[in-house]
């Protein structure tokens, strides 16, 4: 990029805002592309009247100002009132304040929006000029092949949270786009939600609560399906940051713990938790009263819980899935719940998101679903907003990212939790 000006003092002063610098004494020597840009946007060459602010704006464009597309959910009244809801459009992950504090106004142009659906959305319109896209699993901007093809300048996709399946990782590898997330930022938040939802299902909490609200008092109808968790067999598919925390939190409930993961836990951890390792998901599914799913969504796990896998589960068992909606076969689950093979289902993840108003999980029997919020408690938001700022700052200053934050780097999937591939297909449909 070149800074082009005539008044030397001002040009030199403005050089602070630029990476490369060259002085031209007449218009004809200015490269055509830059000439057009400056002429339309910033100064009147013939009068040599420079307006500093305007010029700075134009220079920013020429000197490598990056457009950062930030796709977040609407905060509404709550977002306006509560500045700690950092993950909403109104508070924009604290990025405007961070930019101001670090004097980055001339280097970063933020476009913050919740408008992400379809070709006419603001997100899609801004994509061609975006160097960075920041999105979040709660309101994901799906970066599929077509969008990545459009985003010619895209260098970095940041997940404000954990879980980068909304990016086509295969396409990101091919295009050399770095994919980073704030690993660990909300893992306690999710683990707590999992324990809450396991208890809600096993103890039949939701129908009991509904009775109170409806002015009813029918103990037998609730007790009919209420159990203690103690002595039940509870297994997690994956024992990464979240899965392990779930196991740790469940230990004091005196349950029989099980897990399957591609990578086995240390023997000392297994011993401490008294947890049984299974060599595959099938083996775990057959023996557990409760299965909780805590693996990422990638080609290996997409629709992992299909009709066949669900049929292997014990009759009357429960599933809690806070990992990703697409790990389940949507309709196979509904069928299994309706036929009473699965006693209850809970979680907070859907596909695509936001979930359609008529998504069948909303109305299926015996569920305890929530919208996707387990990983976006106020505590978690503070952590992932700080993480996003750190990743963006490192990228801007050409500094290395924390290793654990990187999912795709230099054309490769570098996180062992993912495989190269695409899990974004069908996001525009209702499945
Ligand atoms: N609901 C939410 O708000 C929320 C928040 C955070 C994370 N999540 C989801 O939870 C997932 C896990 O998060 P984490 O922090 O524990 O990640 P992590 O990287 O610490 O752990 C993931 C684990 O999954 C295992 N795994 C990967 N593929 C597997 C497979 N095919 N079979 C079995 N195990 C496999 C990995 O070996 C790893 O141990 C995220 O990827 C995300 O999808 C949801």
């Amino acid at each position: 990029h070149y800074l082009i000006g005539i008044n030397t003092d001002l040009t030199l002063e403005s050089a602070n805002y630029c990476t490369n610098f060259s002085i031209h004494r007449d218009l004809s020597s200015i490269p055509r592309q830059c000439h057009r840009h400056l002429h339309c946007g910033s100064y009147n060459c013939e009068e040599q009247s420079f307006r500093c602010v305007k010029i700075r704006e134009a220079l920013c464009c020429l000197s490598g100002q990056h457009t950062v597309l930030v796709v977040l959910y609407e905060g509404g009244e709550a977002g306006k009132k509560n500045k700690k809801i950092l993950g909403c459009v109104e508070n924009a992950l604290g990025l405007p304040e961070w930019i101001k504090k670090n004097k980055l106004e001339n280097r970063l142009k933020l476009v913050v929006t919740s408008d992400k659906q379809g070709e006419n959305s603001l997100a899609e319109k801004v994509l061609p000029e975006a160097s960075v896209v920041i999105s979040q699993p709660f309101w994901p901007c799906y970066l599929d092949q077509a969008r990545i093809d459009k985003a010619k300048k895209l260098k970095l996709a940041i997940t404000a949270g954990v879980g980068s399946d909304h990016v086509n990782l295969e396409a990101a590898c091919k295009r050399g786009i770095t994919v980073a997330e704030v690993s660990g930022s909300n893992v306690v938040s999710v683990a707590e939600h999992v324990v809450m939802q396991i208890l809600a299902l096993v103890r039949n909490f939701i129908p009991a609560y509904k009775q109170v609200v409806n002015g009813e008092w029918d103990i037998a109808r609730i007790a009919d399906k209420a159990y203690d968790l103690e002595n039940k067999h509870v297994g997690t598919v994956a024992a990464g940051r979240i899965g392990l925390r779930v196991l740790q939190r469940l230990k004091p409930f005196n349950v029989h713990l099980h897990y399957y993961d591609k990578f086995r836990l240390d023997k000392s951890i297994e011993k401490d938790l008294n947890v049984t390792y299974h060599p595959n998901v099938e083996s775990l599914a057959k023996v557990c009263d409760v299965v909780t799913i805590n693996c990422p969504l990638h080609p290996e796990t997409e629709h992992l819980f299909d009709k066949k896998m669900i049929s292997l589960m014990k009759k009357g068992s429960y599933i809690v899935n806070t990992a990703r909606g697409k790990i389940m076969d949507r309709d196979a689950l509904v069928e299994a719940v309706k036929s009473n093979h699965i006693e209850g289902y809970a979680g907070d993840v859907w596909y695509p998101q936001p979930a359609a108003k008529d998504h069948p999980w909303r109305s299926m029997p015996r569920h305890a679903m929530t919208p996707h919020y387990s990983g976006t408690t106020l505590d978690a938001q503070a952590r992932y907003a700080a993480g996003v700022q750190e990743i963006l700052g490192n990228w801007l200053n050409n500094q290395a990212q924390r290793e654990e934050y990187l999912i795709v780097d230099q054309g490769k999937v570098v996180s062992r939790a993912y495989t190269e591939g695409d899990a974004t297909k069908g996001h525009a449909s209702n499945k």
Side-chain angles (χ1 to χ4, degrees), residues 138 162-163 165 186-187 190 237-243 260-263 294-298 300-301 322-324 348-349 372 374-375 417-418:
F138 320 104
V162 174
D165 48 276
N186 55 15
V187 294
V190 179
V237 177
R241 294 178 184 86
I242 295 173
Y260 162 67
D261 196 295
K262 278 165 53 164
F263 302 97
N294 297 296
C295 54
L297 169 63
H298 58 122
E300 279 176 11
T301 60
T322 54
R324 284 296 177 261
D348 67 335
V349 284
H372 192 171
S374 67
Y418 287 84

Side-chain angles (χ1 to χ4, degrees), residues 76-301:
E77 279 310 304
K80 274 184 215 138
K81 269 198 262 164
N82 188 349
K83 296 292 162 210
K84 287 186 181 163
I85 307 177
L86 287 161
C88 65
V89 167
E90 286 74 2
N91 300 322
L93 298 164
L95 287 169
E97 295 79 7
W98 176 78
I99 286 174
K100 206 168 163 197
K101 187 173 150 212
N102 292 288
K103 300 190 172 52
L104 294 170
E105 293 93 336
N106 297 312
R107 298 189 64 195
L108 295 175
K109 177 181 148 198
L110 281 188
V111 180
V112 185
T113 183
S114 65
D115 184 14
K116 69 183 182 90
Q117 232 37 26
E119 282 185 12
N120 293 323
S121 61
L122 182 61
E124 192 126 342
K125 283 183 189 150
V126 173
L127 265 180
E129 66 171 88
S131 307
V132 181
V133 173
I134 301 172
S135 182
Q136 51 175 196
F138 320 104
W139 189 264
C141 179
Y142 295 100
L143 290 178
D144 58 11
Q145 181 74 58
R147 283 182 167 178
I148 286 183
D149 288 346
K150 266 188 192 175
K152 297 261 184 275
K153 295 185 182 170
L154 185 60
K155 299 279 186 304
L156 174 66
I158 307 178
T159 305
V162 174
S164 296
D165 48 276
H166 59 282
V167 183
N168 178 339
L169 300 183
E170 195 177 351
C173 287
K174 285 194 185 126
R175 269 279 312 282
I177 296 165
T178 300
V179 181
E181 63 182 41
V182 193
S183 309
S185 57
N186 55 15
V187 294
V188 167
S189 327
V190 179
E192 288 182 1
H193 201 88
V194 172
V195 174
M196 173 183 83
Q197 289 194 314
I198 291 176
L199 288 169
L201 289 179
V202 174
R203 303 198 55 89
N204 211 18
F205 172 76
I206 303 284
Y209 172 77
K210 279 187 186 161
Q211 275 198 10
V212 172
V213 175
N214 295 337
E216 298 164 357
W217 190 276
D218 186 347
I219 304 296
R221 191 151 53 87
I222 302 301
D224 187 37
K225 289 190 180 294
Y227 299 90
D228 294 339
L229 186 59
E230 189 169 61
N231 283 327
K232 303 295 182 291
H233 289 261
V234 185
T236 172
V237 177
R241 294 178 184 86
I242 295 173
L244 177 60
R245 281 165 180 77
V246 170
L247 292 171
Q248 288 165 337
R249 278 155 183 75
L250 287 177
K251 189 185 167 196
F253 283 87
N254 296 326
V255 291
H256 304 280
L257 292 173
H258 302 257
Y259 84 101
Y260 162 67
D261 196 295
K262 278 165 53 164
F263 302 97
R264 207 163 163 172
L265 292 167
D266 279 356
K267 284 269 176 303
S268 60
I269 300 178
E270 283 187 3
K271 196 166 163 230
D272 180 45
L273 291 168
N274 194 18
V275 59
T276 305
Y277 172 74
H278 291 261
N280 51 50
V281 189
E282 288 81 357
S283 148
L284 176 140
K286 280 179 192 166
V287 299
C288 285
D289 301 295
V290 181
V291 171
T292 160
I293 302 172
N294 297 296
C295 54
L297 169 63
H298 58 122
E300 279 176 11
T301 60

Side-chain angles (χ1 to χ4, degrees), residues 329-340:
D329 177 321
R330 185 192 73 173
D331 298 336
L333 173 70
V334 176
E335 209 182 298
V337 176
K338 283 190 174 161
S339 71
N340 295 326

Side-chain angles (χ1 to χ4, degrees), residues 280-431:
N280 51 50
V281 189
E282 288 81 357
S283 148
L284 176 140
K286 280 179 192 166
V287 299
C288 285
D289 301 295
V290 181
V291 171
T292 160
I293 302 172
N294 297 296
C295 54
L297 169 63
H298 58 122
E300 279 176 11
T301 60
E302 186 169 336
H303 296 149
L304 177 65
F305 279 77
D306 56 7
K307 194 171 175 166
K308 194 163 165 228
M309 184 68 78
I310 295 173
S311 73
L312 294 178
M313 293 181 64
K314 282 164 93 169
K315 184 168 164 46
S317 54
Y318 305 86
I319 302 173
V320 172
N321 172 21
T322 54
R324 284 296 177 261
K326 214 188 196 184
I327 296 172
M328 304 300 303
D329 177 321
R330 185 192 73 173
D331 298 336
L333 173 70
V334 176
E335 209 182 298
V337 176
K338 283 190 174 161
S339 71
N340 295 326
H341 181 68
I342 294 299
E343 184 56 49
Y345 182 85
D348 67 335
V349 284
W350 311 70
Y351 192 83
Q353 289 189 174
K357 282 213 166 88
D358 60 351
H359 192 293
W361 291 358
R362 289 186 190 262
S363 54
M364 73 182 170
R366 302 186 309 285
H367 78 80
M369 291 290 291
T370 62
H372 192 171
Y373 86 101
S374 67
T376 189
T377 58
L378 295 179
D379 307 284
Q381 301 207 27
R383 292 189 291 260
Y384 65 65
V388 167
Q389 293 166 11
E390 179 189 324
I391 293 169
L392 192 56
N394 284 341
W395 176 75
L396 212 50
N397 296 322
N398 247 330
Q399 278 168 355
Q401 302 289 355
R402 290 193 210 194
E403 230 171 82
E404 69 264 29
Y405 282 2
L406 289 168
I407 306 299
V408 171
D409 192 31
Q410 298 182 10
K412 283 196 199 106
V413 172
V414 291
S415 160
R416 69 178 200 170
Y418 287 84
T419 49
E420 192 176 307
D422 175 20
T424 64
K425 288 195 188 92
H427 71 86
S429 79
N430 221 2
K431 274 247 171 192

